[in-house]
Structures are given as structure tokens and as C-alpha cells.
Amino acid sequence: MNNAHKLGIIRPHSNKLIALARLLDVIVIGLTLWAILDLNAVEWDRKHTWWLLISVVAFGIFAEFNELYRQSRGLSIHIEIRRILISWFWVLVVIMIVDQTYPLVDPVFKHYFWMWIGMVPVEIVSWHIISSSIAGIIRKRGRNTRRVAIFGATRLGVELKNIFAEDESMGLHFVGFYDDEQKTETGRGDLAENKLKGNFRQLIKDAKKGAIDIVYITLPLRAELRIKELIEHLSDSTVSVYYVPDLFVFDMLRSSLHHIKGIPVISIRDTPFYGVDGVIKRAFDVLLSLIILMVIAIPFVIISVSVRMSSPGAVIFKQRRYGIGGEEIIVWKFRTMTVSEDDNSIKQAQRNDPRVTRLGAFLRRTSLDELPQFINVLQGKMSIVGPRPHAVAHNEWYRGQIKGYMLRHIVKPGITGYAQINGYRGETDTLDKMERRIQYDLAYIRNWSLWLDIKIIMLTIFKGFSGAKAY
């Protein structure tokens, strides 16, 4: 027996229903196209085959990116619908891009194409709603349900219990808490209302007599010996056992589950831009930056000339800031002040700051002074969306004042960010304001998706380019 078998390798969870859902979505896409053409007596053309192939492949890829096919129990139908619509939207984008180089949508077929594009998401959403509703009705009637007990009256256990209670469609009927510590019944906030069903011995007894189907263990990590003892006793029953590690005692940032040759590895902190996601993020940055720079070419020149004529000094102000990994980078901006500070003591711009030129005040208020940073994006030093970079002097001070401050540097800094669209743009004259900005920066890293980047860019266009806090 090799070492892998001795370790008891954990296999990835496999759900045949998820595979069936993927297959049915593909069938819906294909049958809808065939039905539209057949009902209109249109003969199947080679280009229709390309429609189908591109749509099936693209939908599969974007559905995976949007996590449409994750374990469905507990997934809100509204979230599922949104993920379907977003995935299909990107299918349309891909087909339109391909059509620019290799015409796929002939004028004679355009009507049928748009009919197909409109009907597919409606049909996929419909069957997902119907199947989810049927499953929910079956579970609420007591079919396909399982009786669940939680060993460990901890806050994590209470949170798990509340999830079971909030969504009956999951088909998990909560039996009760079991714990050795009777003191968990009182004096611990939301735990006080959760009476214990019994202790360790009572759980073993109920499991053996068939009163429980699943046991979730929510004891803290330090209770390793007790957990092991419980699992050994439960082996004399037919219950399924799950261990829920209380990882929330750590400062989680972009956590995820990985496997190294079957050994489960949980990342506590990681960058979201590793592997495929990193390639997608970089491609998006480069493509959008090139488009923006072409669009703003004339305003860019006009601003450059205006800065040069308005006051003595260089057109572009360059300042050292921290980039990804905490490494120093040079960030470009249009000069807006009469000084060019980049030393160990830098004063933030304030209201009516005498250092700011008249033109500079306008550029700062409208964020036009940030336009040269699209060149920084092409250089690979920055991203369009990400935590705003701070001057090195400010970084060195704040990292000693705010817990987790440097975690914002596991991604590239951005021209705009989640904090900026939520009102934390410009001067941060108090430590509390900077802490709130950092909280939004870390929330962005935890929840990153391409769709979130697009949302931040759109909100920046409509409300983020100007503001009273930008001095």
C-alpha cells in the first residue's frame, strides 16, 4: 500500500445531477435552434453549426466562471437566474466578436439568430426554475430529506443551523445540538436560545438507533482528540459525518479549497489573479486600456499642453508607490501642484490646498489627472480596477496603524476601486476613514469577478470621476 492510500486521500465531490444539468442546458441550446429553423422551414446551414458549437463551448466556459453548476442545494434561484443570463450574454459577445472577422450572421438568417438568442435564456431559466421548484416541493413534503444533528454548540454551529432553517428546500431537517459543555446553553448571546438535545453519549445513542442521518461536527480545531473519538464511536452506526472547520478564526482573504494529489489544502489568504483568472484580468486590462487611450488621445494632448502652459514644471508627475507584492512602482499623473513631493514625508492634498494649481484643482476634481495611469496599466504595473496605490511614505505609516493593511498589495493597484465608488475617494484625514477604505479594498479581493470589475468601471463613469472629497 502506497503513502497516498495510508493518508486516506480525499476525493473531489462528484454530483451526477450537476453533470445532468450541464447536459440538459446543452440540449436546450441545440433543440431551440433546431426548432426555430424547422418551424420556419429553414434548411440547416454550415453557419448554424458554428452558432451551435460556439454557443455550447462559450456557455460552458462562462457558466463555469460564474459558478452556475456548483452544488445547487441552498443556492438561491435568483442567483442562479442571474448567472444564467450573464453567461448567455457573454455567449452573444463572443459570437459578435467572431462575426467581425468571420461573418456568421448573414442578413437572411439574422431574424432567426436573434429569435434564438432571445429564446434560449428564457428556456434554460424556465427549466431551472421548474426543476428547483419541484425539488423544493418534494423536500417540503418530507421526501428526499435527511435528519441533521450538530455536535458543537458553537457560533459556527448556530450559523449552520440557521442556514438549514432558512431554506427548507435543502431538505435538511435539523434535529438539535449535541455538546459536552452544558454552559453553551446560556450566557453566550445567540447560543442561549439553542437548547442542547444531549451530550456526547446521547448523540452516539441516537445515531445507533437511527434517529439521525447526518452529523455535522463544529468543534474548534483544538478539539482534535474529541473529534477523533466521536468519529470512531459513530463508525458503529450508519450516519454520514461531516467536519466543519472553524476557519473564520483566521483573517480569511480569497480562501479556497485545493487538492495536492488528493490531499485537501485550504488557502487562508491568496490572490484571485492566479492562473486563468489572472490571464482574463490582464487581457481585460490591456484591451480596455488600448481602447480608452485611443478615445482620449486628443484630450490627453490638450491636457498635456494646458498643464505645461499653466505653471512651471513637468507635465507628468511621477511618484513612488507600492504595487503588487509590496514592490515599489512609479505611478504617472498629470501634474496638479506647484511641488513634486516624493520623499519620506508627504502631506495629503486638502481643501483649498495652496500647492494645487487652478488647472490642477479641476483635474483632481474630475480625476482627469489619473489618465496617464492607463499607460501604467499597459506597462503591467497597475490594473484598471484594484486598490488605489498610496505614496510609499503613507504606506509605511499606515501599515503600522491598520491591521491587514498590506494585504491589499496581493493584487495590482488600480486606477479606480471598490472603495472609491463607495465614497472613500480623495482625502483620508482620519485613521477611521483609511480603515474603511482598506475594508472595501479587502472586500474587493475576497469577491473579485470580471463582472465586479465591469460594475465598478460603470459606477466610476457615472459617479466616481468627480466628487467633493477630491482636492
Side-chain angles (χ1 to χ4, degrees):
M1 183 178 295
N2 60 32
N3 290 334
H5 288 97
K6 290 179 182 178
L7 286 170
I9 297 304
I10 298 178
R11 295 177 292 108
H13 177 74
S14 176
N15 191 324
K16 294 179 176 62
L17 288 178
I18 291 177
L20 180 60
R22 292 176 185 270
L23 177 61
L24 287 176
D25 284 347
V26 170
I27 291 174
V28 166
I29 293 171
L31 280 181
T32 303
L33 178 58
W34 173 83
I36 289 173
L37 297 177
D38 186 67
L39 289 174
N40 289 277
V42 177
E43 187 175 346
W44 188 277
D45 185 85
R46 180 168 55 89
K47 291 186 177 180
H48 299 146
T49 302
W50 280 110
W51 293 3
L52 183 59
L53 287 175
I54 293 173
S55 64
V56 167
V57 173
F59 186 78
I61 292 173
F62 289 111
E64 191 66 31
F65 286 156
N66 287 299
E67 299 178 343
L68 173 61
Y69 299 115
R70 275 201 169 186
Q71 185 71 6
S72 59
R73 281 197 179 193
L75 179 65
S76 165
I77 189 62
H78 298 98
I79 295 176
E80 196 170 350
I81 291 173
R82 186 182 69 186
R83 292 176 179 177
I84 291 170
L85 296 178
I86 291 173
S87 300
W88 188 250
F89 167 78
W90 285 109
V91 169
L92 174 60
V93 171
V94 171
I95 293 178
M96 291 293 96
I97 291 174
V98 174
D99 185 61
Q100 296 302 309
T101 55
Y102 178 74
L104 291 177
V105 188
D106 291 341
V108 67
F109 295 136
K110 185 170 290 187
H111 174 71
Y112 309 119
F113 172 79
W114 288 110
M115 188 184 299
W116 172 65
I117 287 294
M119 289 184 64
V120 166
V122 173
E123 294 185 359
I124 293 179
V125 165
S126 296
W127 91 256
H128 277 253
I129 292 175
I130 292 170
S131 62
S132 178
S133 300
I134 292 174
I137 291 171
I138 292 174
R139 288 165 185 158
K140 286 181 180 179
R141 291 184 176 180
R143 304 288 182 87
N144 192 26
T145 60
R146 306 181 78 183
R147 295 161 297 178
V148 173
I150 296 177
F151 186 73
T154 60
R155 296 194 183 280
L156 179 62
V158 172
E159 186 174 342
L160 194 62
K161 171 247 183 181
N162 291 337
I163 292 173
F164 298 151
E166 288 169 2
D167 194 346
E168 295 181 1
S169 66
M170 294 178 70
L172 299 176
H173 173 66
F174 180 65
V175 174
F177 282 105
Y178 293 80
D179 203 313
D180 289 331
E181 303 290 340
Q182 293 295 328
K183 66 180 180 180
T184 56
E185 292 188 52
T186 58
R188 291 176 63 181
D190 54 357
L191 296 181
E193 63 185 41
N194 295 285
K195 303 297 183 181
L196 295 182
K197 181 82 171 178
N199 58 13
F200 183 97
R201 295 184 181 278
Q202 186 62 47
L203 175 61
I204 302 301
K205 182 178 179 181
D206 290 349
K208 287 183 177 180
K209 71 179 183 182
I212 300 170
D213 298 311
I214 304 176
V215 173
Y216 285 91
I217 303 173
T218 59
L219 293 178
L221 296 172
R222 64 178 179 273
E224 177 187 358
L225 296 178
R226 196 57 168 162
I227 294 169
K228 185 177 181 180
E229 182 182 4
L230 175 61
I231 293 173
E232 288 176 351
H233 279 83
L234 290 176
S235 65
D236 190 30
S237 70
T238 59
V239 300
S240 299
V241 181
Y242 292 85
Y243 176 58
V244 186
D246 190 3
L247 298 175
F248 297 101
V249 298
F250 306 111
D251 184 11
M252 307 287 280
L253 188 65
R254 201 69 190 187
S255 59
S256 57
L257 177 64
H258 305 269
H259 288 85
I260 300 178
K261 292 191 175 180
I263 300 174
V265 179
I266 298 174
S267 66
I268 303 300
R269 295 170 185 162
D270 197 5
T271 175
F273 307 131
Y274 178 77
V276 175
D277 284 340
V279 174
I280 293 172
K281 173 77 166 175
R282 181 61 182 153
F284 178 75
D285 281 341
V286 171
L287 180 62
L288 190 55
S289 294
L290 287 172
I291 293 173
I292 291 174
L293 285 171
M294 287 188 289
V295 171
I296 66 171
I298 295 177
F300 197 99
V301 173
I302 294 173
I303 293 173
S304 299
V305 173
S306 300
V307 171
R308 189 71 181 89
M309 295 178 63
S310 64
S311 63
V315 171
I316 300 295
F317 166 55
K318 299 179 181 180
Q319 188 178 66
R320 293 176 302 122
R321 301 197 176 187
Y322 278 175
I324 188 170
E327 295 183 357
E328 287 189 7
I329 61 173
I330 303 298
V331 173
W332 295 7
K333 299 176 69 174
F334 283 123
R335 183 177 55 82
T336 58
M337 292 185 174
T338 56
V339 297
S340 297
E341 297 178 333
D342 189 21
D343 50 31
N344 295 327
S345 179
I346 299 176
K347 181 182 178 182
Q348 283 192 358
Q350 300 174 334
R351 184 186 297 273
N352 300 320
D353 196 314
R355 298 171 301 167
V356 179
T357 65
R358 183 177 299 180
L359 175 62
F362 169 74
L363 295 177
R364 295 173 75 92
R365 191 167 56 251
T366 57
S367 293
L368 291 174
D369 62 322
E370 313 283 359
L371 293 182
Q373 289 170 26
F374 285 104
I375 299 175
N376 292 140
V377 174
L378 292 180
Q379 292 172 337
K381 302 297 184 181
M382 293 182 64
S383 179
I384 293 178
V385 180
R388 284 293 298 156
H390 300 149
V392 170
H394 294 158
N395 254 49
E396 290 303 315
W397 190 81
Y398 282 121
R399 71 187 301 178
Q401 304 297 318
I402 301 174
K403 181 182 178 182
Y405 177 87
M406 289 301 291
L407 293 176
R408 68 201 298 273
H409 295 293
I410 68 173
V411 300
K412 291 179 182 179
I415 298 175
T416 185
Y418 196 39
Q420 283 63 48
I421 65 168
N422 281 284
Y424 290 90
R425 173 179 178 267
E427 183 188 14
T428 49
D429 53 351
T430 66
L431 190 61
D432 179 65
K433 289 181 180 179
M434 181 58 79
E435 287 177 339
R436 290 293 297 161
R437 176 184 285 188
I438 302 307
Q439 288 175 11
Y440 277 111
D441 289 341
L442 299 185
Y444 167 75
I445 296 172
R446 289 189 185 97
N447 302 293
W448 178 84
S449 68
L450 187 60
W451 177 248
L452 179 59
D453 272 7
I454 294 171
K455 177 181 177 181
I456 291 172
I457 291 170
M458 297 304 294
L459 288 174
T460 299
I461 293 172
F462 287 110
K463 70 176 186 178
F465 275 134
S466 61
K469 296 181 181 179
Y471 310 131

